[in-house]
Amino acid sequence: MPELAKENSKAGLEAFIGYWYAQLSYSYETGQTEQLMPLSRSTCALCTSMRRGVESGWQEGRWIAGATIRSTSVEADFDPTVSTQVAAVQVIQEPIEIRTPDGSLYQEPTAATNSASRAALTFEDQRWLLIDLGLLR
């Protein structure tokens, strides 16, 4: 984690969000979600759903190809007087292919996306924590 992502500041918040999405992308690439879990509250439904989707894609010898994620922009109004900070995040993800052990497609690929999300975060115990994530429509 970058040092900046550990700061209770607007720049720290934005750096943490970039780091969180980088860890999600790493999870898709490797099937390893352990590093992602402590960055979000267990009550974050979309966070949990995405983590479980990655884990499912890597079961029974399957693997995920593509799915690289980039958070291309973060817009946050940082207010140090409130406990929850909110940011809008543009997220681009490559198509997701789940492959079987022999390399064939397990299911039809998921199309690439370019979407916006609303992230709610809190700074507690000297670190940022994602508490809610939702798609903006």
Side-chain angles (χ1 to χ4, degrees):
M1 179 180 303
E3 286 302 312
L4 182 58
K6 299 175 185 176
E7 287 183 12
N8 186 10
S9 65
K10 181 178 181 179
L13 169 75
E14 292 170 350
F16 177 83
I17 291 169
Y19 177 75
W20 190 90
Y21 278 102
Q23 293 308 302
L24 178 60
S25 187
Y26 176 81
S27 294
Y28 275 105
E29 294 168 18
T30 65
Q32 299 173 13
T33 59
E34 299 81 19
Q35 76 290 347
L36 187 61
M37 292 172 59
L39 303 177
S40 310
R41 278 209 182 133
S42 61
T43 54
C44 177
L46 185 54
C47 304
T48 301
S49 175
M50 287 189 293
R51 180 181 52 81
R52 287 183 180 155
V54 168
E55 291 168 349
S56 175
W58 282 86
Q59 287 181 346
E60 300 172 3
R62 294 188 302 263
W63 48 280
I64 296 175
T68 301
I69 297 173
R70 293 180 294 124
S71 58
T72 58
S73 70
V74 178
E75 294 180 15
D77 292 324
F78 183 78
D79 181 351
T81 66
V82 298
S83 62
T84 301
Q85 304 296 328
V86 177
V89 187
Q90 181 184 11
V91 180
I92 296 173
Q93 186 171 25
E94 293 177 1
I96 303 169
E97 294 180 356
I98 300 177
R99 301 270 177 182
T100 63
D102 69 4
S104 62
L105 280 173
Y106 175 72
Q107 63 188 34
E108 286 299 311
T110 303
T113 59
N114 182 349
S115 59
S117 296
R118 177 193 175 274
L121 303 98
T122 188
F123 193 83
E124 59 185 42
D125 299 327
Q126 301 302 306
R127 67 185 187 105
W128 285 106
L129 192 62
L130 186 60
I131 57 175
D132 191 31
L133 185 65
L135 293 177
L136 293 175
R137 305 219 187 262

